[in-house]
Amino acid sequence: MPERSKTVHDVIVVGARCAGATVAMLLARRGYRVLCVDQALFPKDAVSTHMLRQSGLARLRDWGLLDRLKATGCTPIHSITMSYADAHFSGFSDPIDGIAQTYAPRRIVLDGLLQDAAREAGVDLREGVTVTELVRDGEVVTGIVGRDRDGEPVTEYARLVIGADGYASTVAQLTGAEKYDVIPGETFTAYSYWSGLNMQSQLRIGDKQAVGGWPTNDGKTLIWCVQYLDRFAPFRTDVERNFSLAFKETAPDLAELLDTGERVERFFIARYPENFYRTSHGPGWALVGDAGYHKDPFTGLGISDAFTYADLLAERVHEGLSAARPLDEALADYQAQRDRSSKPMYRFTCESSRLVLPDKHVEVMRALPRSPKHTQQWFRMMAGGLSGREFFAEDNLAALLNPQGAR
Ligand SMILES: Cc1cc2nc3c(=O)[nH]c(=O)nc-3n(C[C@H](O)[C@H](O)[C@H](O)COP(=O)(O)OP(=O)(O)OC[C@H]3O[C@@H](n4cnc5c(N)ncnc54)[C@H](O)[C@@H]3O)c2cc1C
């Protein structure tokens, strides 16, 4: 069969999940001709515990997609119970960007919703297309080469190629995009889905391990544990038993709760790759989502950040393609802005995902049950709506830690 076309698209996006489908949709809504390809045939699940942050939901609302998400029957989450050592408290962030609760939709649901919205916006979204090479004109990337689901060759051309193809990004490898601020991953996760539980969000940190869960679609509850990599091999020898043991050791009350429900899906097990940023632009190409900025899922920011920076990238690409400013300059600005605004939460994520919290944090966590205001602030900080510097400022904590002196 001949190659499908020699049409020049404005933009080709490689990857059609939360970063790719989103940036494709946003550019198509601005009137650009967008081709989006993914090697997967959808609907297809992704390995993810799929918690959305309020910042991510605010983006969905802005794009007119929040009501669609709610209509999928995904259970709202408005309370988080957290424990560490002898500290135990519950609460939730006050509204961030006007969003008062959150959701953890299954990826089949969320990615499908985004792909539908992209197609409605006019994106030519092709499944089963695997990108293996880039077309270049000198130094400038001008297209993609790959094969379709039947193994037939595909070559497509565009003014810009965006890699939204995940942390192991092929586009990043082909462009030689360098990693920086790399911090090794130290943990792995195992998770599955239970029915028959009535549970809001739980995050319990024990001795170099953590357990928890939250409700998702279809009345199911996602239940997970995280442990250090040195326990990876022994854990896999008996997943069911070791999963249950992690709950008994870390949160016996949750272990008992799990016994009242029933596990209804298989276990998913994943080692967390390293944390990193990648150079995310060059002549004719850009990266978005995990391809350009990847961190441990402990703070549940991957999807919401994919939305935030897909939004930013779409804006900068529009500036470049509409000749409001040079494309190279607009893309450089995208990367600089992304790095600047994400760096504090990147650091916080990498530190907290080690599951050993600093003494100051523990002192604060022990005191939180005394102060609904500070508890709300704590969860706002975890959701990325308040910086650690603001929360841990002496003035802010005085009333919590020295209630007598503060009066
Ligand atoms: C165990 C685990 C738990 C997580 N939990 C959470 C959580 O609770 N909350 C949260 O916000 N984030 C979580 N994350 C992170 C989140 O899943 C990612 O941040 C998010 O999926 C990134 O989206 P993306 O679109 O950039 O990449 P991906 O979701 O990885 O999508 C990339 C797409 O690119 C396609 N692709 C790859 N290579 C090619 C190619 N050569 N040609 C064509 N297509 C290609 C793939 O098929 C895929 O569909 C978790 C991650 C893991 C591993």
Side-chain angles (χ1 to χ4, degrees):
M1 212 169 80
E3 291 172 358
R4 187 162 173 158
S5 85
K6 291 228 184 294
T7 311
V8 176
H9 309 276
D10 290 314
V11 180
I12 295 174
V13 181
V14 184
R17 291 192 186 267
C18 32
T22 302
V23 77
M25 170 191 78
L26 294 172
L27 287 167
R29 284 182 177 183
R30 285 178 161 95
Y32 294 101
R33 289 161 303 166
V34 183
L35 169 66
C36 181
V37 300
D38 201 299
Q39 64 193 6
L41 297 174
F42 298 108
K44 185 172 184 230
D45 209 354
V47 175
S48 176
T49 50
H50 47 79
M51 168 65 88
L52 286 177
R53 291 296 179 191
Q54 285 145 289
S55 57
L57 290 160
R59 298 288 82 73
L60 289 178
R61 177 203 56 208
D62 296 346
W63 303 328
L65 300 177
L66 183 55
D67 286 341
R68 285 196 203 181
L69 178 69
K70 290 180 181 172
T72 67
C74 196
T75 305
I77 298 169
H78 45 75
S79 165
I80 303 175
T81 297
M82 195 167 168
S83 62
Y84 181 78
D86 57 349
H88 188 113
F89 54 98
S90 299
F92 201 70
S93 166
D94 55 332
I96 296 178
D97 213 350
I99 301 288
Q101 54 196 19
T102 191
Y103 297 87
R106 292 293 289 259
R107 287 295 295 270
I108 283 191
V109 171
L110 179 67
D111 294 347
L113 189 150
L114 295 167
Q115 289 152 7
D116 286 349
R119 285 190 165 113
E120 285 162 21
V123 174
D124 177 2
L125 198 157
R126 295 186 208 158
E127 303 173 25
V129 175
T130 304
V131 172
T132 53
E133 297 292 340
L134 297 174
V135 185
R136 284 190 171 80
D137 182 358
E139 293 288 295
V140 183
V141 171
T142 55
I144 56 162
V145 176
R147 49 180 194 281
D148 68 14
R149 65 182 81 180
D150 301 318
E152 297 296 338
V154 173
T155 303
E156 297 285 349
Y157 301 88
R159 298 162 72 192
L160 180 73
V161 173
I162 296 177
D165 47 347
Y167 68 86
S169 171
T170 301
V171 175
Q173 284 166 34
L174 294 171
T175 54
E178 300 226 337
K179 290 181 182 172
Y180 52 95
D181 276 358
V182 178
I183 299 177
E186 296 188 74
T187 55
F188 69 93
T189 187
Y191 67 90
S192 185
Y193 296 87
W194 261 247
S195 70
L197 302 183
N198 182 10
M199 186 179 125
Q200 280 280 303
S201 182
Q202 297 276 348
L203 171 53
R204 310 293 195 85
I205 306 173
D207 183 16
K208 290 192 144 192
Q209 62 182 344
V211 299
W214 36 78
T216 176
N217 295 89
D218 305 321
K220 292 181 187 171
T221 304
L222 166 85
I223 301 290
W224 55 262
C225 79
V226 170
Q227 293 187 340
Y228 265 58
L229 279 176
D230 58 0
R231 294 165 87 169
F232 190 54
F235 186 93
R236 287 165 64 99
T237 58
D238 190 342
V239 173
E240 178 118 44
R241 181 178 168 281
N242 290 320
F243 190 86
S244 165
L245 201 59
F247 276 81
K248 285 181 181 139
E249 288 172 358
T250 310
D253 57 322
L254 280 188
E256 277 176 30
L257 183 71
L258 295 194
D259 286 342
T260 67
E262 184 192 359
R263 181 166 65 82
V264 287
E265 295 195 26
R266 70 178 179 89
F267 280 107
F268 297 78
I269 303 181
R271 293 172 62 139
Y272 291 144
E274 62 192 5
N275 306 277
F276 61 81
Y277 286 88
R278 269 199 189 106
T279 301
S280 292
H281 69 98
W285 63 273
L287 301 177
V288 70
D290 277 8
Y293 164 45
H294 174 267
K295 68 264 171 212
D296 191 288
F298 193 70
T299 43
L301 277 164
I303 300 167
S304 300
D305 277 356
F307 290 168
T308 299
Y309 299 117
D311 202 16
L312 179 64
L313 178 60
E315 220 174 281
R316 294 292 167 268
V317 169
H318 174 52
E319 288 170 2
L321 293 186
S322 64
R325 68 197 284 205
L327 181 59
D328 289 354
E329 182 190 300
L331 293 179
D333 188 40
Y334 151 71
Q335 178 177 325
Q337 232 180 304
R338 178 200 66 187
D339 289 10
R340 221 174 20 250
S341 70
S342 62
K343 200 54 72 76
M345 279 314 277
Y346 181 66
R347 296 270 170 244
F348 179 72
T349 299
C350 294
E351 273 165 30
S352 54
S353 65
R354 302 192 68 242
L355 307 177
V356 182
L357 302 186
D359 291 347
K360 184 73 180 179
H361 285 47
V362 183
E363 185 190 359
V364 167
M365 288 166 85
R366 283 195 187 109
L368 284 177
R370 292 202 295 265
S371 168
K373 178 187 125 189
H374 288 91
T375 304
Q376 205 175 50
Q377 284 183 350
W378 171 274
F379 285 113
R380 187 179 179 87
M381 176 182 68
M382 287 196 61
L386 180 73
S387 74
R389 200 166 346 109
E390 287 168 284
F391 178 76
F392 285 104
E394 227 169 275
D395 280 1
N396 187 45
L397 292 186
L400 175 71
L401 299 179
N402 313 300
Q404 309 299 331
R407 253 181 234 140

